[in-house]
Amino acid sequence: MYTIQTNPSGTRSMEISETHLETIDKYALFQGLIDSNGIVDESVLDKLKLNVRSLIASMEENSKDLLDLCIDVIYHNNMKAFGLHQLILLYINWKRDKETE
């Protein structure tokens, strides 16, 4: 289990599980998400939400993993642009560590 900070002052945080990171990886949710300027703002979070909603709507099989990710992380009350940036950084480090194992 990992913990990310969801606001700059550090008063809010969120728990991220290994399963959440695997789901992000499985569906490549961060691929092509950020524009060339590299800035993660509320529009990037909105884009992620729309992408996930579209993915769930188009799936014919069970999408419980995506629904859990939505409930626990993406649509969580504390998730804002700062939190998404922290989640992306966590994912990058998690992926790098996984590849070196």
Side-chain angles (χ1 to χ4, degrees):
M1 190 68 83
Y2 304 92
T3 302
I4 60 167
Q5 188 176 320
T6 58
N7 66 352
S9 64
T11 57
R12 296 179 187 259
S13 61
M14 184 182 303
E15 297 292 320
I16 308 296
S17 71
E18 189 85 16
T19 307
H20 293 138
L21 295 170
E22 289 169 357
T23 302
I24 292 168
D25 191 46
K26 177 181 176 183
Y27 295 102
L29 296 179
F30 293 157
Q31 190 172 19
L33 184 66
I34 302 171
D35 295 333
S36 61
N37 62 16
I39 297 172
V40 178
D41 57 11
E42 293 299 322
S43 67
V44 175
L45 180 58
D46 292 340
K47 183 178 175 183
L48 175 62
K49 289 178 179 180
L50 290 172
N51 288 347
V52 171
R53 255 163 74 211
S54 174
L55 192 58
I56 290 171
S58 67
M59 293 178 71
E60 294 179 9
E61 69 270 3
N62 183 2
S63 58
K64 183 183 179 332
D65 54 352
L66 268 178
L67 292 172
D68 288 343
L69 180 68
C70 285
I71 293 167
D72 298 341
V73 179
I74 297 173
Y75 284 93
H76 192 280
N77 288 338
N78 290 342
M79 181 54 78
K80 305 288 184 236
F82 185 88
L84 179 58
H85 184 252
Q86 297 303 310
L87 179 61
I88 292 169
L89 293 175
L90 171 65
Y91 173 76
I92 291 168
N93 289 332
W94 173 83
K95 186 77 170 168
R96 187 179 324 127
D97 290 346
K98 197 167 180 167
E99 289 173 355
T100 58
E101 289 178 357

